[in-house]
Amino acid sequence: PGEGQKVKLRVRVRYDRILLDRPLYKAFLRSDPALCDMTILRFPRGTNFAVSEQEWLILEEWLA
């Protein structure tokens, strides 16, 4: 912060699950026929990516 300015809370973030200890690599996603067309693989420079219910169920299996 500049002189005389106070730091203010800007965005509240809630983490439902922390996945950093078990990342899903692109190679894993590309190797699965049900996940190989995910938006994050087609447009990797984006920021937020929707995941279908079917994709999420498969991702949960990868994370188990």
Side-chain angles (χ1 to χ4, degrees), residues 46-63:
T47 54
N48 297 308
F49 302 95
V51 176
S52 72
E53 185 174 342
Q54 179 182 353
E55 290 170 337
W56 177 245
L57 293 173
I58 296 166
L59 289 170
E60 281 187 315
E61 289 179 25
W62 277 99
L63 295 169

Side-chain angles (χ1 to χ4, degrees), residues 23-43 49-64:
L24 290 174
Y25 296 104
K26 270 194 286 189
F28 294 150
L29 299 177
R30 286 188 176 144
S31 71
D32 190 315
L35 300 176
C36 66
D37 197 37
M38 290 180 69
T39 309
I40 194 169
L41 297 173
R42 291 183 287 128
F43 305 104
F49 302 95
V51 176
S52 72
E53 185 174 342
Q54 179 182 353
E55 290 170 337
W56 177 245
L57 293 173
I58 296 166
L59 289 170
E60 281 187 315
E61 289 179 25
W62 277 99
L63 295 169

Side-chain angles (χ1 to χ4, degrees), residues 3-34:
E3 189 176 325
Q5 297 179 351
K6 292 182 181 180
V7 176
K8 295 180 184 178
L9 181 63
R10 301 285 187 218
V11 177
R12 293 182 187 270
V13 177
R14 185 187 84 210
Y15 295 98
D16 293 329
R17 221 181 264 187
I18 307 275
L19 304 174
L20 298 177
D21 61 330
R22 294 180 298 166
L24 290 174
Y25 296 104
K26 270 194 286 189
F28 294 150
L29 299 177
R30 286 188 176 144
S31 71
D32 190 315

